[in-house]
Amino acid sequence: MALGNRYKSAPGAGTLAALILVLVFGSPWYSDWAQDNTNPNTAGGWWLRLLAWPSWSFDTDDSLRDVIVGDLKAILVVVLTFVFLYLLPGSQLARARGTVSQFLAGWAAYIFAGAFAALLATLFLTNPSLLGAFNAAGSGAGYGFFVGWIVGLASLGGWRGTR
């Protein structure tokens, strides 16, 4: 692949979308705004709070281990999104640009990335438990399910293959 290729790859486009989602909506500023200004008993408020799930922070009130685990979860969501987008065959085997398989592969990659990032980050908590890991993986998969369509749309615009 040449450096000046005019097409972006599906894994690259999806990873960029995941990075933007984590950087913007996982930021302490957005997380604080969502907690203070949204109602969790409405669908819109619930979704706006869900966007802040892979939050990262530099809060000095928490223990160093908890801050690192929270940041690790946000980093793993982005890294695992790239890994799963690269490994899922839908975006790689799609013959036509912009097929539904690219969209579904991007969406599924974000679901898997959220679940595995939460599961792996839970192992580094001070008192990890199997139940805590399962609950975290479930919340990560839920986040990926309701937000992953954005990554799916981004990977839909990517093109995979040769000319």
Side-chain angles (χ1 to χ4, degrees):
M1 181 188 292
L3 247 82
N5 192 351
R6 62 186 180 156
Y7 297 110
K8 61 183 179 251
S9 69
T15 304
L16 180 63
L19 178 65
I20 291 170
L21 281 169
V22 169
L23 283 178
V24 172
F25 296 109
S27 70
W29 305 283
Y30 177 80
S31 298
D32 292 342
W33 175 85
Q35 289 296 326
D36 296 340
N37 297 314
T38 59
N39 182 0
N41 296 324
T42 63
W46 177 84
W47 195 74
L48 288 172
R49 287 174 179 230
L50 181 69
L51 282 172
W53 177 79
S55 63
W56 51 270
S57 69
F58 302 108
D59 193 5
T60 57
D61 294 336
D62 293 337
S63 69
L64 180 62
R65 184 178 203 139
D66 290 339
V67 170
I68 290 173
V69 168
D71 294 347
L72 178 67
K73 182 173 58 174
I75 292 167
L76 282 175
V77 166
V78 175
V79 170
L80 289 175
T81 298
F82 176 76
V83 168
F84 286 121
L85 275 172
Y86 187 76
L87 293 177
L88 284 172
S91 63
Q92 295 176 0
L93 298 178
R95 292 181 167 249
R97 181 178 181 188
T99 61
V100 175
S101 67
Q102 285 180 313
F103 172 72
L104 293 176
W107 195 352
Y110 208 58
I111 294 170
F112 292 144
F116 279 105
L119 184 69
L120 292 174
T122 303
L123 298 176
F124 295 103
L125 288 174
T126 51
N127 291 321
S129 69
L130 189 59
L131 179 61
F134 288 165
N135 283 333
S139 66
Y143 165 77
F145 182 76
F146 287 105
V147 180
W149 60 270
I150 299 169
V151 175
L153 285 177
S155 63
L156 181 67
W159 183 76
R160 194 74 182 139
T162 59
R163 284 194 243 183

